[in-house]
Amino acid sequence: MVRVKVCGITRPEDALAAAEAGADAIGLVFYSPSPRAVDSDSARAIIECLPPFITSVGLFVDAAPEYVREVLSKVPLDLLQFHGDETDAYCQLFSRPYMKALRVRSGDDLNALAARWPGACGILLDSFKQGVPGGTGEVFDWSMIPVNRTWNLILAGGLDADNVAGAVALCQPWAVDVSGGVEKSKGIKDAAKITRFVHEVKA
Ligand SMILES: O=C(O)c1ccccc1NCC(=O)[C@H](O)[C@H](O)COP(=O)(O)O
């Protein structure tokens, strides 16, 4: 069964909509230039309203370790996601499971790249857009993804209810990750779009 993470959650009602739709995880963005960014108090309130068995993921981009530790002291995050140029050693500083996001560019050897983060529980493949670390709303060339891989693939980038079934059939990921494709506007999710997306993945 392919897992689903709904990322860029900014409101408790959107976290509940994701949980009720059957999503397995929610993502909270701790990167202030993003229109989907949340502060620690908001993030804690969102997580506190979740029912059991929904993984809470905190997302950072080249953050100072002190900031990550400050967030972790206030917010009960289950899993970390690093979207910048963080090394494996940096990602392992926080004694939490982590996923490393890689923004895919043509010609990348994705198996070789993934091997640089042996401590990662998953590799999130996302689209590359200059100056935009994530949440681009754009797909990348899924044919670049190696069929033979030893790492857990989380597929991201421009997914929505119309393309996700094809993406799953082609790429066979451990999980999929979506943000823009289930929104009314940046950071405001659409419950019906979330429900349709999860159905397309899990039906
Ligand atoms: O979502 C953001 O605004 C964001 C900003 C900076 C770094 C990462 C960000 N999102 C990370 C995610 O995991 C997104 O879900 C992923 O990039 C896919 O986004 P989308 O293409 O909109 O589905």
Side-chain angles (χ1 to χ4, degrees), residues 5-8 29 31 33-37 59-61 81 83 101 124 126-127 132-139 156-160 177-183 186 189:
K5 169 177 165 260
V6 178
C7 197
V29 177
Y31 175 68
S34 168
R36 303 175 177 115
L59 190 148
F60 300 87
V61 182
Q81 178 177 321
H83 249 259
L124 185 143
D126 203 350
S127 302
V132 183
T136 67
E138 297 175 7
V139 299
L159 297 178
D160 60 30
D177 168 287
V178 64
S179 191
V182 293
E183 288 183 333
K186 294 273 188 186
K189 304 307 183 186

